[in-house]
Amino acid sequence: MTTVVTYGTFDLFHIGHVRLLKRLRDLGDRLVVGLSSDEFNSVKGKNVIIPYEDRREILLSCRYVDDVFQENSWEQKRDDLQRENASIFAMGDDWIGKFDDLQDVVKVVYLPRTQNVSTTELKTVITQIYDEKLREIRNVASHLNALIDKL
C-alpha cells in the first residue's frame, strides 16, 4: 500500500484544496493529512478563520482523505512520516526544496498549485468586502448624525 502524507492549514476550504487533495490521492492508495493546529498557525503568523476541529471534520468528509492528524511543529514531520509508514511526502510547489532533507525516508513530491484560487486571495476579497460595508455604515451613521444635529 502506498501512503501519501501532506500537510496544510486548509482554512476556508475551496476548489484548490479539493483539486490538490485529488492529485495527492492519485499518487497512492491512502492519503493522510497533517493539519496545522490553530496554535501552530499562530506561530507561523497565520490567522485562521475556521477552527481546527471544524477544518479537521471538513477534511475527513472529503472522499480523497483517509485520515487526519494534528501538526504542532515543523520538526515533527520525520516522525509522522515514519509513524504513518509513508511512501510519499507531497506538498504544493510553493514549498519546492523546503523538505528535500526528508528524501532519505520517503519520496518527496511538489505538486503545482491550482491557478487563480488561494485562501490568501479569498481572505483579501473578504476583507475588501468588509471594508466596503464598514465605509457604507460609517457614511450612513455620519448622515444620521448630521440629521440629528439639525434637530
Side-chain angles (χ1 to χ4, degrees), residues 61-79:
S61 73
C62 180
R63 67 179 171 177
Y64 306 118
V65 176
D66 294 292
D67 202 5
V68 174
F69 61 86
Q70 190 166 325
E71 180 189 27
N72 297 302
S73 72
W74 295 111
E75 298 78 26
Q76 76 183 69
K77 286 182 178 50
R78 185 172 294 275
D79 289 338

Side-chain angles (χ1 to χ4, degrees), residues 4 25 28-33 59-60 62-68:
V4 179
R25 178 56 185 268
D29 306 304
R30 181 172 173 257
L31 175 60
V32 182
V33 177
L59 281 172
L60 286 171
C62 180
R63 67 179 171 177
Y64 306 118
V65 176
D66 294 292
D67 202 5
V68 174

Side-chain angles (χ1 to χ4, degrees), residues 83-141:
R83 181 192 66 243
E84 296 297 333
N85 197 26
S87 305
I88 299 171
F89 171 70
M91 294 290 286
D93 62 3
D94 51 328
W95 291 97
I96 285 180
K98 301 284 189 203
F99 302 108
D100 289 351
D101 63 309
L102 298 171
Q103 291 183 36
D104 63 322
V105 179
V106 292
K107 178 179 179 182
V108 178
V109 176
Y110 301 99
L111 297 176
R113 293 174 59 100
T114 303
Q115 295 297 310
N116 301 319
V117 63
S118 76
T119 303
T120 301
E121 290 173 4
L122 288 173
K123 286 180 179 180
T124 299
V125 169
I126 291 168
T127 298
Q128 289 170 344
I129 291 168
Y130 172 81
D131 290 346
E132 181 179 321
K133 294 297 179 190
L134 190 57
R135 279 192 301 276
E136 289 175 11
I137 291 168
R138 286 181 176 152
N139 189 28
V140 168

